[in-house]
Amino acid sequence: MSKTETGTEGNTGKGHLEVIPLGGMGEIGKNMFAYRFGDEIMVVDGGLAFPDSLQPGVDLIVPRIDYLQQNAGMIKGWVLTHGHEDHIGGLPYILPRLPRVPVYGASLTLGLVREKLNEYGVKEVDTDLVEIKAGETVRIGEHFVVEFFRMTHSIPDNLGYILHTPVGQVIHTGDFKLDAHPTDGQPSDLERIQKAGDSGVLLLISDSTNAERQGTTTSEAEVAQNLDALIASCRGRVFVSTFASQVHRLQNIIKIAEKHGRRVVIEGRSMVKYSQIAEALGYMEFAQPLLTSDEVGELQDSQILFLCTGSQGQPMSVLWRLALGMHAKIALKRGDSVILSSNPIPGNEEPVNLIINKLYEIGTDVFYPPNYKIHASGHGSQEELLTVLRLARPKFFLPWHGEPRHQLNHARIAQTIPQPPRRTLVAKNGDVVRLTEDEFKVTGTVPAGALYVDGLGVGDVGDDIMLERIGMSQEGVLVVTALLNPTPHVDIVSRGFVKSNRELDNQIRKVALEAIENGLHEKKRTEDLRDDMYGAVRRFIRKATGRNPVLIPLLVD
């Protein structure tokens, strides 16, 4: 053990550690943790999530950082586990709002962070990015020593860490699966977890994503074998869509294409970005340069493979435009094969199904899970979760990275090991979890939740605005404008309410005008006139149409 670690553990038993999830607890996405000991805070990750159907108009969702802003002077350092969007995607919105502190991450992770910060106009000189590797140890402040270890996932440079604190050791697995045959040949460092377990683990924080799935998660090597056989059987052009961040998968597909004499064309901004960064940092290699669609030239259909974005049915992605016949340079045709090497993220099933149906209508051959075993999760299933629990043998357990059903199933799994945790907590974002040698409980809460990124605005759109947008999308909008002088007059404008209906429009004007004239006769204030008109029109519309549009009353004096 290093001198820095010895210095930390020498204070064992003094004070308490607070573990504060700010995102990623009870949900999948926008992961962020804060650890606090005394007057020092260490932060882990800063991810994003994507909006669902109840968040119209929102571009991205990032964690609320009120707690960090209120205690900004205590932040001593930042740790990044890996380069997926749900762990680093929020950093361009978060880092500029907090003090400049060291941000530790592995090579590929920091390469992706630099690209993302540059894209959003954040200068690298305003950050302090520090590259680390698995096996290295860093001290953050006086109370935190972080030891990084390798865990396999669906992206290279994925790290778990052991946090040495004055109260004991905390293991955070990060996202992981225990792939016995990883693409890069570097399996998870289970020996380090076992060694920590032998010396005593106070708390284990572990990935719960696949806690409902029995057995083990399919190896990426098996996915590569299945993709190889499938691509070998294709005669025309091949289009493969997967997550742009699946660097191991992209590398395997490129090797398969080269094996079968196909040149690889990259389509999609994020796919190009990930492949360029991974190649520059040595995580991908190509026998021949990757092409763009403009460079295909005289190649025959059997000599081309397209790697493209859109596996989740994202509007305006490459696969979306291809399926709807909207791509400016490429048109799908019979004889083409389209391979979706991914599963829909919950909430994306409908757009993915739409794309699949459109592809069938075109006449392409379409291959997708579960009909074909061409995708594997990056998260461990029950047997892998059990392996980590048995090796770590924690006194306390905090299931993380999952919805409540995943957390609760992970908690049940923990009770089946020979030496189960003394206590397991299923926490929520914002919970302040107090940890000592003998104590593990929620003692309070801090502000947590979602900040909506909408255009250039961050946090200026809240749940109340979401409700208004949903109301407008479901019932439409009706604007009633009353001109008070010289003679009362009412105009109406509607959108998404009903078809043009002169009789209904005249009735609404009449009801509004009567309310205004009565109020003027009684010499009511302008605010009261507006409220009277609103109430009268609202009641009439409900009675006449059974509908409840967003009603906007305007008075012009």
Side-chain angles (χ1 to χ4, degrees):
M1 182 172 290
S2 70
K3 292 181 180 179
T4 55
E5 292 173 8
T6 303
T8 294
E9 296 201 349
N11 293 323
T12 299
K14 297 180 180 179
H16 67 274
L17 177 70
E18 290 179 348
V19 184
I20 308 170
L22 297 174
M25 194 68 79
E27 62 181 352
I28 296 176
K30 65 180 181 65
N31 294 281
M32 179 181 277
F33 260 101
Y35 296 94
R36 178 173 176 176
F37 193 96
D39 60 355
E40 294 186 339
I41 291 175
M42 185 188 95
V43 188
V44 178
D45 289 340
L48 59 74
F50 294 101
D52 58 28
S53 59
L54 298 180
Q55 294 153 335
V58 173
D59 299 316
L60 304 169
I61 304 169
V62 298
R64 284 182 60 182
I65 57 171
D66 307 52
Y67 174 75
L68 297 181
Q69 289 176 310
Q70 292 163 6
N71 298 281
M74 297 184 185
I75 302 174
K76 303 303 179 183
W78 212 294
V79 167
L80 304 179
T81 58
H82 65 287
H84 278 156
E85 293 283 1
D86 61 329
H87 291 260
I88 66 168
L91 294 178
Y93 308 99
I94 297 170
L95 290 181
R97 291 169 168 78
L98 293 170
R100 183 179 183 272
V101 297
V103 179
Y104 299 93
S107 175
L108 179 60
T109 304
L110 294 188
L112 295 170
V113 169
R114 287 188 181 96
E115 175 68 21
K116 187 167 290 294
L117 295 177
N118 181 64
E119 180 183 346
Y120 285 87
V122 181
K123 297 179 181 178
E124 186 169 345
V125 69
D126 294 328
T127 63
D128 183 11
L129 304 181
V130 183
E131 184 176 325
I132 49 87
K133 296 178 181 179
E136 293 187 353
T137 297
V138 298
R139 175 180 286 280
I140 295 178
E142 293 297 320
H143 299 113
F144 302 112
V145 172
V146 189
E147 180 185 355
F148 299 94
F149 61 91
R150 186 177 58 252
M151 292 294 276
T152 53
H153 188 37
S154 53
I155 189 171
D157 270 355
N158 183 69
L159 300 172
Y161 59 87
I162 301 171
L163 181 62
H164 301 272
T165 77
V167 297
Q169 294 186 113
V170 176
I171 292 184
H172 187 301
T173 64
D175 292 14
F176 80 94
K177 72 176 185 180
L178 303 183
D179 194 334
H181 305 286
T183 300
D184 59 7
Q186 300 184 46
S188 299
D189 189 356
L190 298 182
E191 290 184 7
R192 187 63 193 91
I193 297 177
Q194 182 175 19
K195 182 180 176 182
D198 291 342
S199 62
V201 172
L202 184 62
L203 173 65
L204 172 67
I205 304 171
S206 184
D207 180 356
S208 305
T209 311
N210 282 341
E212 295 179 302
R213 295 187 184 180
Q214 296 181 350
T216 59
T217 299
T218 302
S219 169
E220 195 64 32
E222 183 177 342
V223 172
Q225 291 174 357
N226 295 335
L227 284 169
D228 190 349
L230 184 56
I231 291 171
S233 70
C234 298
R235 295 293 170 257
R237 296 181 301 178
V238 175
F239 295 79
V240 183
S241 185
T242 189
F243 295 104
S245 60
Q246 283 263 27
V247 174
H248 289 320
R249 183 85 47 86
L250 299 183
Q251 177 68 88
N252 286 335
I253 293 169
I254 290 168
K255 288 183 176 179
I256 292 167
E258 293 170 348
K259 173 183 175 182
H260 297 291
R262 292 181 182 267
R263 295 296 302 273
V264 177
V265 181
I266 297 283
E267 281 286 317
R269 187 171 63 88
S270 61
M271 191 79 76
V272 171
K273 178 187 72 174
Y274 269 89
S275 60
Q276 288 177 339
I277 294 172
E279 181 190 18
L281 295 173
Y283 293 91
M284 289 177 67
E285 57 184 14
F286 323 122
Q288 294 178 298
L290 302 180
L291 304 178
T292 66
S293 56
D294 292 324
E295 298 171 325
V296 173
E298 301 300 320
L299 290 175
Q300 298 178 9
D301 288 356
S302 61
Q303 297 175 310
I304 307 170
L305 182 145
F306 291 85
L307 268 172
C308 58
T309 57
S311 65
Q312 296 303 303
Q314 306 95 315
M316 298 311 296
S317 64
V318 173
L319 189 59
W320 187 89
R321 285 182 281 137
L322 288 170
L324 274 68
M326 296 173 59
H327 197 285
K329 299 178 181 179
I330 309 169
L332 292 174
K333 60 186 179 182
R334 290 184 179 276
D336 289 338
S337 296
V338 180
I339 300 171
L340 278 72
S341 183
S342 64
N343 284 327
I345 295 172
N348 288 349
E349 294 87 354
E350 185 174 342
V352 171
N353 288 336
L354 171 65
I355 282 182
I356 291 173
N357 283 317
K358 290 293 183 182
L359 293 171
Y360 272 110
E361 289 176 4
I362 292 171
T364 60
D365 297 320
V366 192
F367 307 93
Y368 51 92
N371 300 341
Y372 296 85
K373 294 181 179 180
I374 50 178
H375 176 64
S377 172
H379 302 270
S381 299
Q382 289 180 357
E383 286 301 319
E384 293 151 280
L385 304 185
L386 275 168
T387 296
V388 170
L389 282 160
R390 291 188 185 113
L391 292 174
R393 305 187 302 281
K395 179 182 286 188
F396 303 121
F397 179 44
L398 191 64
W400 155 82
H401 202 291
E403 298 168 356
R405 61 195 179 109
H406 306 125
Q407 293 173 280
L408 285 164
N409 276 286
H410 202 176
R412 294 182 183 123
I413 290 170
Q415 293 306 307
T416 67
I417 65 174
Q419 184 181 327
R422 181 185 300 178
R423 188 175 186 200
T424 297
L425 280 179
V426 176
K428 302 185 292 294
N429 290 331
D431 282 348
V432 177
V433 180
R434 180 186 174 101
L435 179 67
T436 70
E437 288 183 342
D438 300 302
E439 189 178 33
F440 183 51
K441 64 182 180 180
V442 176
T443 57
T445 60
V446 302
L451 278 181
Y452 298 125
V453 179
D454 190 349
L456 298 178
V458 181
D460 56 352
V461 172
D463 291 334
D464 53 341
I465 302 296
M466 289 298 104
L467 291 174
E468 290 178 359
R469 290 181 179 180
I470 292 169
M472 288 188 284
S473 68
Q474 293 176 341
E475 301 282 357
V477 182
L478 178 66
V479 180
V480 182
T481 304
L483 179 65
L484 303 183
N485 291 303
T487 302
H489 175 73
V490 173
D491 283 326
I492 64 172
V493 176
S494 67
R495 293 290 184 271
F497 174 38
V498 293
K499 288 183 178 180
S500 179
N501 185 327
R502 182 175 297 177
E503 181 180 352
L504 179 61
D505 289 352
N506 289 335
Q507 290 174 326
I508 293 172
R509 288 192 186 95
K510 181 181 178 181
V511 169
L513 189 57
E514 286 179 354
I516 291 296
E517 289 177 337
N518 289 337
L520 289 172
H521 181 71
E522 297 175 14
K523 297 182 179 181
K524 290 186 175 182
R525 297 181 307 162
T526 302
E527 294 82 358
D528 294 331
L529 290 175
R530 185 187 61 234
D531 293 344
D532 288 350
M533 182 177 72
Y534 176 90
V537 173
R538 168 69 67 211
R539 289 189 295 272
F540 170 77
I541 290 173
R542 284 176 175 169
K543 183 176 181 181
T545 69
R547 299 176 183 176
N548 189 31
V550 173
L551 178 58
I552 302 175
L554 299 175
L555 267 63
V556 180
D557 192 351

